[in-house]
Amino acid sequence: MAETDYEHEIAIENLTYSHQPGLPSSLSNISLTLPKGSRTILLGANGAGKSTLLQILAGKRLILGEQTFVHIKGRDVFRRTPPGVTFLGTEWAMNPVVRGDIVVADFLNSVGGYRHPERRDRLLDLLDVDLDWHMHAISDGERRRVQLCMGLMAPWDVLLLDEVTVDLDVLVRDDLLKFLKADSEARGATILYATHIFDGLNAFPTHIAHMHLGTFATPPTPWPFPPADALNTRPPTLYEVALEWLREDRTKRRELEKQGRKARGARKDAVPLDSETFYKKYDYSH
């Protein structure tokens, strides 16, 4: 198959994944397709499998199974790594290397910023980054801005984002989303973005998808949704849809807990934990 001879920019079939043998699956029989130029918001509660899915697409978690199909730009993400794929996740900011005493200007040059001066400078202005910052002496939000500048300097065809706007202030986040949308539209580039922050996001996606306990409750679906009925002339916002889906998720999970799934929240039994017994014995605060 020629590199340009593929129907979907992202395509997955029959993906099941467990973090360790013998543990319950984090992803179960996942299948999806996304067209070139789409911008998909991945919705779901904590633990739904969003980060795992993005990491697999980025080639960061090895999958097994002859029937499993994970392709980007028509190429297997493990056996023929596709070019032009950028993954940005939250774990980057915790890496001790990027918390060392290195000046931002030197850091960006070390990852090839000089090769893309126009995009680099546009991102520096947009993200309000000071080239004289020392990486070990800046806030988490400022470090996140440097990460985004680093990751977006080179033009990308497929961008995988995992909660990377969580540390940004609302102004920088809004400017970033406008940049990403315009960049996607101008170059026909594709974005898959997992987030729990929905303010200012309503006009960003072309599709939204809903993950629940490692499966797709709603596969990638064109956005915006139409009004609920003829009497309701206003279509729902992304925030409203997310809130409804997450409420449904919690209700379904609690029903599963009644059927034997491990329960969350307060324990109803009267038997104290060993730690409670120990610490209570030596509690002299009363």
Side-chain angles (χ1 to χ4, degrees):
M1 182 174 66
E3 288 191 11
T4 56
D5 183 22
Y6 55 91
E7 184 178 359
H8 306 289
E9 193 77 345
I10 297 176
I12 300 175
E13 291 182 13
N14 305 319
L15 171 60
T16 295
Y17 178 82
S18 178
H19 289 282
Q20 291 182 25
L23 290 181
S25 297
S26 299
L27 300 175
S28 299
N29 197 28
I30 292 286
S31 295
L32 71 85
T33 56
L34 292 174
K36 180 178 174 61
S38 58
R39 296 181 301 279
T40 302
I41 298 297
L42 202 53
L43 297 140
N46 300 125
K50 304 183 300 298
S51 295
T52 301
L53 178 63
L54 288 170
Q55 290 165 3
I56 288 173
L57 281 168
K60 294 183 176 295
R61 292 187 180 275
L62 181 63
I63 58 172
L64 302 174
E66 295 181 1
Q67 304 303 316
T68 300
F69 181 90
V70 181
H71 282 200
I72 293 180
K73 298 171 63 178
R75 297 173 64 160
D76 188 296
V77 298
F78 299 100
R79 297 171 181 84
R80 285 182 69 232
T81 305
V85 178
T86 293
F87 170 82
L88 297 175
T90 56
E91 72 285 348
W92 180 91
M94 301 306 296
N95 189 322
V97 174
V98 301
R99 288 177 171 266
D101 186 6
I102 181 172
V103 177
V104 168
D106 297 334
F107 177 72
L108 294 179
N109 282 330
S110 75
V111 293
Y114 54 85
R115 292 195 291 263
H116 311 282
E118 292 184 8
R119 283 178 66 91
R120 177 200 61 197
D121 291 349
R122 184 179 177 190
L123 286 161
L124 286 168
D125 289 341
L126 183 147
L127 295 166
D128 202 20
V129 171
D130 186 339
L131 284 169
D132 292 325
W133 280 342
H134 288 246
M135 291 293 289
H136 76 297
I138 57 180
S139 71
D140 288 341
E142 290 167 337
R143 197 173 290 110
R144 186 72 63 200
R145 297 182 194 195
V146 176
Q147 177 194 12
L148 287 161
C149 185
M150 178 203 74
L152 300 174
M153 289 186 303
W156 37 269
D157 299 322
V158 174
L159 181 62
L160 307 171
L161 299 174
D162 187 15
E163 293 288 355
V164 290
T165 61
V166 67
D167 299 315
L168 301 181
D169 66 52
V170 66
L171 177 60
V172 170
R173 179 176 174 274
D174 186 64
D175 287 343
L176 174 67
L177 290 172
K178 288 175 180 175
F179 168 80
L180 293 176
K181 181 180 179 182
D183 204 23
S184 167
E185 291 174 340
R187 301 190 297 106
T190 305
I191 301 174
L192 183 56
Y193 174 25
T195 184
H196 292 290
I197 306 173
F198 303 109
D199 59 300
L201 203 57
N202 214 54
F204 179 82
T206 61
H207 297 72
I208 64 173
H210 173 204
M211 293 190 71
H212 175 60
L213 298 179
T215 64
F216 273 107
T218 303
T221 304
W223 177 262
F225 288 172
D229 53 58
L231 298 177
N232 185 358
T233 57
R234 181 183 69 80
T237 66
L238 187 58
Y239 177 83
E240 290 169 338
V241 171
L243 200 59
E244 180 180 354
W245 280 353
L246 292 174
R247 282 195 181 116
E248 291 174 356
D249 287 352
R250 188 166 59 183
T251 298
K252 290 176 183 176
R253 197 197 74 236
R254 287 177 174 171
E255 287 299 318
L256 290 173
E257 289 173 358
K258 293 177 182 177
Q259 299 170 28
R261 183 183 178 89
K262 190 177 188 303
R264 300 181 184 180
R267 294 181 177 177
K268 307 304 180 184
D269 56 62
V271 180
L273 296 173
D274 290 342
S275 59
E276 178 184 343
T277 302
F278 177 84
Y279 287 108
K280 202 171 187 180
K281 181 178 178 181
Y282 297 100
D283 185 355
Y284 303 112
S285 60
H286 301 293

